Amino acid sequence: MNLSELQRLADEDLMPRIAAKDPLAFEVFYDRHGGAAFSLAYRIVGNRQAAEDVTQEALISIWRSGARFDRARGSVRAWTLGIVRNRAIDLLRRDSGRAPKLALDSEELLEKRPADELTEVEALRRETAREVRGALSDLPDEQSRVIRLAFFGGFSHSEIAQMLNEPLGTIKGRMRLGMDKIRASLAEGVYE
Amino acid sequence: MSGHPSRDDLAAFAIGGLDEREQRSVAEHLEGCDRCAAEMRERLAPAVAVLAESVEQVEPPDSLRESVMATVHQEAAAESPLAEGARSDAEAPARRGWRAWTPAVLMRPAVGVAALALVVAGLIGYVVADGDEATTETVPLAESPAGVGGNLVVDRDSATLHMHGMGQLPEGDVYQVWVADSAGVQPSAAFVPHEDGTATAAVPEAAGDVTEVMITHERRAGQEQPSLERTVFGAKL
C-alpha cells in the first residue's frame, strides 16, 4: 500500500499495519498525531527538550507495541495521548524535585505553524482545543484547578488534598463534577 | 477491590488522580467489569481525550520526526528476515559478496527445510515463450513483510526490475538497487517510485551472473556503499 492509500485509512485501520511493522504507515501516524503528542508533552514537562524526549519515547513505544491498541477502549488519538501523558508524568516524578509546569500556558513561548499550512482536520482540532480551554476556564476555579493538578501535574487526589488543605472526598468530588461538566459539554456538541 | 469503585473514584482514575495503589486496583477492576468499563469508555474517556487536546498546540521540531522515523526505519529493516541477513553480515566485514546479503533464513539450516523451500519456491523463475524459443525469463521476487515485491525480467543481455509496494520518498531521496555476484557488491540503478508505489528500473548487471538483488533507501543517488539500516528489499536469485 502506498502513501496516498495509507493516508486515506482511518486511524483504526492504520494500527494493524503499524503492528505489522510498516514504516510508511507509522509515518502517516506521526503526521496525524505527532504534533498533538508533542504539545501535550510540552504542556506537562514545560520545556522543549524534555518534551521532545518524552514524545520520542512514547511514539517509539507505540511503534514497538502497536498491536496492543484495542479499539474497544477508545480512539487511537486518545490512546496515543494517554501514553504521552503517562510518559510525561513519569518524567516529572523521576526528576522529582517534581516541578510540574502548572502555570498557565506561556503563550509567548509557543511556536505556531502558519495558518495556511494547516490541514482542515488539524485546524478543526485546534479550534476544538481552544473551545476546551474555554470550557476548562468556564469550570468553577476549584474544579478546574484539581483537574489541572491531576491531569497535567500528575498529582494524586491525596497530594492535592494536602496541597490545598481540603478533605480528600472534596477533591475527588470536584474532579468528578468537573469531568461531568466537560462530558456534558461534549454531549451538547460543544466540541464536536 | 470489593464492589464497584465509586463514580468519584472512576473520574479520578480517568485523569490519573488516584494514588498508585488505588489506580492499579481500579485498573484491575475494569478488566473484569463490563459496567464500569462501559462508564469509562463511553462517558469518561471522551472527556479525558478532550482534556488532552485542550493544550495550546506547539509545532514540534523537525529533528523529532527525523529521529523517530530513523529508529522506525532501522527497526523495520531489522524485523525483515532479508534485512536481518544483511545486517548481521554487515557486522562481520570479513564476509563479502552475496553471502553478505543472504537472508538469515537461508543461512541458517536450523530455520527449517519448509521455510527454505518456501523462499526458494518464490524465487524460481518461469519462462515466457516467444514462439518456440524462450527469450525472456521472469523471476518473481518474494514479497517482503512490508508488502514490497516484484519481478525481475531478464532478456539475453538486459534485465528490468518491476517493483510494487514501494513507499514514497522525501524529495531528493532515491531507492538504490544493488546487485551482488561472486566478485562482490555493486550499485546499479537508482529510482523514484510512481505515486502508486510501482517502479521500473533497468538493471543490466542482473542479466549476468548475479546472485542477489537488494534495494536500499538512500539520501541521494551515487552512493558507493549501501545503507544497510535502510534496506527495504532483498532477494536471492
Side-chain angles (χ1 to χ4, degrees):
Chain A
M1 196 173 275
N2 64 37
L3 185 62
S4 60
E5 288 168 326
L6 287 167
Q7 283 168 334
R8 285 195 292 273
L9 288 182
D11 279 347
E12 288 71 21
D13 298 321
L14 207 53
M15 295 314 290
R17 300 198 66 89
I18 291 172
K21 299 295 177 224
D22 178 350
L24 205 54
F26 195 80
E27 211 162 311
V28 174
F29 172 89
Y30 180 95
D31 290 339
R32 285 184 193 169
H33 305 299
F38 179 77
S39 301
L40 178 59
Y42 179 67
R43 172 67 180 82
I44 292 171
V45 299
N47 81 71
R48 291 184 68 87
Q49 185 54 56
E52 197 172 337
D53 293 345
V54 162
T55 310
Q56 173 157 355
E57 268 183 37
L59 296 182
I60 293 297
S61 82
I62 288 170
W63 160 250
R64 290 175 181 158
S65 68
R68 286 188 211 146
F69 168 70
D70 177 359
R71 66 172 72 198
R73 293 187 185 187
S75 69
V76 169
R77 178 77 155 199
W79 179 68
T80 302
L81 294 181
I83 291 170
V84 171
R85 187 257 175 200
N86 290 344
R87 294 267 172 173
I89 296 295
D90 284 349
L91 178 71
L92 287 184
R93 288 181 178 155
R94 251 196 336 260
D95 286 357
S96 209
R98 58 171 306 166
K101 178 176 173 283
L102 296 172
L104 294 175
D105 294 318
S106 312
E107 301 291 338
E108 71 278 11
L109 295 177
L110 303 177
E111 298 173 12
K112 298 185 181 68
R113 206 187 323 179
D116 60 0
E117 289 181 19
L118 296 179
T119 64
E120 194 179 340
V121 171
E122 186 62 18
L124 191 64
R125 278 180 172 147
R126 290 187 182 200
E127 189 55 37
T128 302
R130 268 194 289 275
E131 287 170 359
V132 176
R133 277 197 299 282
L136 270 177
S137 38
D138 285 348
L139 289 179
D141 278 350
E142 65 272 15
Q143 291 170 18
S144 165
R145 192 177 209 188
V146 294
I147 288 176
R148 287 171 195 266
L149 284 167
F151 190 76
F152 297 117
F155 292 101
S156 71
H157 59 96
S158 53
E159 288 170 320
I160 297 170
Q162 197 173 7
M163 198 183 306
L164 302 181
N165 197 24
E166 299 269 12
L168 203 58
T170 304
I171 299 301
K172 281 205 274 192
R174 285 176 186 167
M175 286 177 179
R176 180 181 54 79
L177 285 171
M179 292 302 282
D180 280 351
K181 283 183 186 160
I182 294 174
R183 173 61 199 156
S185 306
L186 263 177
E188 287 164 13
V190 171
Y191 313 129
E192 294 171 328
Chain B
M1 170 174 288
S2 60
H4 299 284
S6 67
R7 289 190 62 223
D8 283 1
D9 279 341
L10 278 180
F13 171 84
I15 56 173
L18 292 177
D19 292 325
E20 213 172 309
R21 187 182 51 79
E22 296 169 308
Q23 197 81 15
R24 265 202 310 274
S25 167
V26 174
E28 282 165 17
H29 177 83
L30 288 170
E31 291 295 330
C33 176
D34 289 346
R35 192 183 89 182
C36 292
E39 165 80 5
M40 185 59 60
R41 183 179 59 245
E42 285 155 27
R43 288 179 51 81
L44 288 164
V48 174
V50 164
L51 208 53
E53 299 263 9
S54 72
V55 300
E56 186 70 37
Q57 296 299 290
V58 184
E59 184 69 8
D62 291 342
S63 58
L64 176 61
R65 188 181 200 283
E66 285 162 15
S67 135
V68 167
M69 289 313 301
T71 303
V72 164
H73 280 291
Q74 197 169 359
E75 293 188 2
E79 288 280 328
S80 155
L82 294 166
E84 188 186 328
R87 186 202 55 207
S88 61
D89 285 309
E91 287 162 1
R95 295 169 65 179
R96 290 181 51 79
W98 71 267
R99 284 175 60 85
W101 293 359
T102 299
V105 71
L106 294 179
M107 294 298 291
R108 291 198 300 262
V111 168
V113 176
L116 181 62
L118 259 180
V119 175
V120 172
L123 297 175
I124 293 172
Y126 56 87
V127 173
V128 177
D130 179 10
D132 291 331
E133 190 183 358
T135 57
T136 304
E137 186 184 13
T138 299
V139 182
L141 305 174
E143 198 167 271
S144 76
V148 178
N151 294 307
L152 182 66
V153 179
V154 185
D155 285 326
R156 282 193 187 85
D157 53 3
S158 71
T160 309
L161 196 58
H162 300 270
M163 300 300 296
H164 63 259
M166 305 297 300
Q168 297 301 298
L169 293 167
E171 198 176 337
D173 288 15
V174 295
Y175 286 119
Q176 176 70 54
V177 182
W178 305 86
V179 294
D181 57 23
S182 54
V185 172
Q186 59 177 310
S188 181
F191 66 88
V192 173
H194 300 298
E195 274 191 6
D196 65 0
T198 62
T200 303
V203 284
E205 299 85 352
D209 190 20
V210 165
T211 52
E212 280 207 54
V213 174
M214 188 182 199
I215 301 173
T216 59
H217 171 182
E218 302 292 347
R219 297 293 180 216
R220 58 183 174 80
Q223 301 290 344
E224 292 184 356
Q225 295 294 326
S227 302
L228 292 174
E229 74 280 10
R230 290 199 296 271
T231 303
V232 294
F233 185 77
K236 185 170 181 271
L237 304 177

